[in-house]
Amino acid sequence: MSSPQPPSVPYEFWAPADDWRPGHVMLAANVDFIPSAPPRTAPVIRVDGLWGEHEWTLYPQPYHDKFPYLPWIPLPPRNSLCNVLRCAVDKTMWRPHPSKTNTHLVRPDVLDDIRGGLKAAKAVVAIPFHEIITSPSPSFSSVQHPQQAYIRAFEAVDRLEREFEAWRDFVEVFRNVQRSLIELFAFADWWAEVNSKSGPSFRAPTRGAIFNDANLYASHVYRSLASFLLIPSTTYSLDPQKQVELSPRSLSKSEPMAPDPLRHSLPHWYYPPDVEDIADFETAARDMPVAWTSSTQLKATSDAWTKWRIGTTMRV
């Protein structure tokens, strides 16, 4: 048997990835760390409205060939200049209802910012939505444009314009507006770049994706996107000087939100989904049919997790 050869793909560092998949390593480029696998526990909504270690807008997910734009999702800025897509949710964003007790309304200026984000998203996806539907190019034939995110964005903004009794409901609605807008802007950025005749431009850090195809991984590295390649440990002879440990998932650190089922009154899509396979989590969270999960890009990535079930009674 021949010895493993040096990698034919670029990488900045690598880590043993047995908790992702036994006997595998993960290579990475355009990132600061390689995250550990998501915990095998039910995801819970945190007090900041995010889903902790399972937040799909923060952590890389297995690559979907029907949703190639998701790696373009930007990470939150590291400075205080946070826009409406990534700003934290706090109680200065609402005000007491003028005539009802224990009831609040969203502040007009906050609503204006959200409406402005929705208007901008609507504008930037209008042409790409039309073009990807009518494009004769076979390279786009399998791509599903984010129509569900578009619908959800309008529904969630409409809900923000009405009154709230429970703080947690406001937090969950606001975060889902952000998730939908983030997806729409990522789609617009992806479409603009893949149709550009110029080379990849410098970009802010992205969420990226996890690949098990070296060519797909390399093409995303070239575009300066966060890229992770999960492969058997015997594939390449890797540089020991580039070896690192997997990093804990610490981008969403807040405590779980206390359960309050009597005041829990939103549609199901505001909450973490129930899935049989963690590889389907992002797809289900975006309310897409899990049958669209790629057999080569997703199922192979998650063999070690196939028996993990997210419970439906712990979504708090």
Side-chain angles (χ1 to χ4, degrees):
M1 179 182 298
S2 60
S3 300
Q5 299 298 309
S8 57
V9 294
Y11 71 105
E12 295 169 19
F13 36 80
W14 65 276
D18 287 328
D19 67 336
W20 282 95
R21 193 177 183 196
H24 281 58
V25 295
M26 187 172 284
L27 282 62
N30 303 322
V31 296
D32 295 328
F33 63 92
I34 302 178
S36 57
R40 294 163 178 81
T41 55
V44 296
I45 299 174
R46 307 290 173 149
V47 295
D48 62 2
L50 299 176
W51 296 345
E53 297 96 330
H54 300 92
E55 179 56 55
W56 62 270
T57 65
L58 289 178
Y59 295 104
Q61 305 293 314
Y63 179 79
H64 299 242
D65 55 6
K66 284 190 175 292
F67 317 118
Y69 43 87
L70 295 177
W72 270 254
I73 289 175
L75 290 178
R78 296 178 179 177
N79 54 39
S80 59
L81 300 176
C82 200
N83 61 26
V84 69
L85 297 183
R86 289 295 192 180
C87 65
V89 188
D90 62 63
K91 291 190 175 182
T92 66
M93 293 179 164
W94 72 355
R95 58 191 173 91
H97 195 286
S99 59
K100 295 182 180 181
T101 58
N102 300 318
T103 305
H104 289 73
L105 298 169
V106 182
R107 270 184 19 215
D109 59 313
V110 175
L111 274 178
D112 286 345
D113 286 345
I114 288 292
R115 291 183 186 122
L118 180 59
K119 182 179 180 180
K122 180 180 178 181
V124 298
V125 301
I127 293 177
F129 270 25
H130 172 74
E131 290 184 347
I132 201 166
I133 292 172
T134 59
S135 174
S137 173
S139 60
F140 299 130
S141 62
S142 65
V143 176
Q144 176 67 30
H145 70 288
Q147 181 180 6
Q148 196 65 26
Y150 189 83
I151 294 170
R152 284 184 173 187
F154 277 89
E155 290 182 354
V157 171
D158 177 71
R159 181 63 187 87
L160 282 179
E161 293 173 341
R162 291 179 273 141
E163 60 192 38
F164 288 89
E165 293 184 5
W167 168 247
R168 62 169 298 149
D169 283 353
F170 168 70
V171 173
E172 290 157 357
V173 173
F174 193 90
R175 284 301 192 189
N176 275 282
V177 171
Q178 290 180 315
R179 288 188 184 100
S180 297
L181 294 181
I182 285 169
E183 182 175 344
L184 292 174
F185 281 112
F187 172 78
D189 289 344
W190 164 80
W191 182 257
E193 186 164 327
V194 297
N195 286 283
S196 173
K197 295 181 179 179
S198 60
S201 58
F202 174 80
R203 73 178 78 251
T206 57
R207 188 211 72 172
I210 302 166
F211 305 90
N212 55 29
D213 179 277
N215 291 329
L216 269 175
Y217 163 82
S219 69
H220 285 72
V221 173
Y222 172 71
R223 292 187 181 277
S224 300
L225 295 159
S227 304
F228 303 86
L229 179 62
L230 185 64
I231 52 175
S233 58
T234 56
T235 305
Y236 296 128
S237 175
L238 299 170
D239 184 350
Q241 298 299 317
K242 294 184 177 182
Q243 181 177 348
V244 299
E245 297 297 321
L246 296 177
S247 296
R249 295 181 165 232
S250 58
L251 296 179
S252 176
K253 302 178 182 179
S254 61
E255 295 297 315
M257 191 179 287
D260 189 4
L262 296 180
R263 304 172 73 87
H264 195 72
S265 56
L266 299 171
H268 73 91
W269 55 266
Y270 284 97
Y271 310 111
D274 174 41
V275 296
E276 293 285 352
D277 188 333
I278 187 55
D280 295 327
F281 182 76
E282 177 193 66
T283 305
R286 296 171 51 247
D287 208 21
M288 297 292 184
V290 296
W292 281 350
T293 299
S294 165
S295 60
T296 58
Q297 285 298 324
L298 285 173
K299 297 302 184 183
T301 303
S302 60
D303 287 350
W305 300 336
T306 51
K307 294 184 179 180
W308 178 47
R309 182 175 181 80
I310 300 176
T312 58
T313 60
M314 294 291 289
R315 298 184 196 154
V316 297

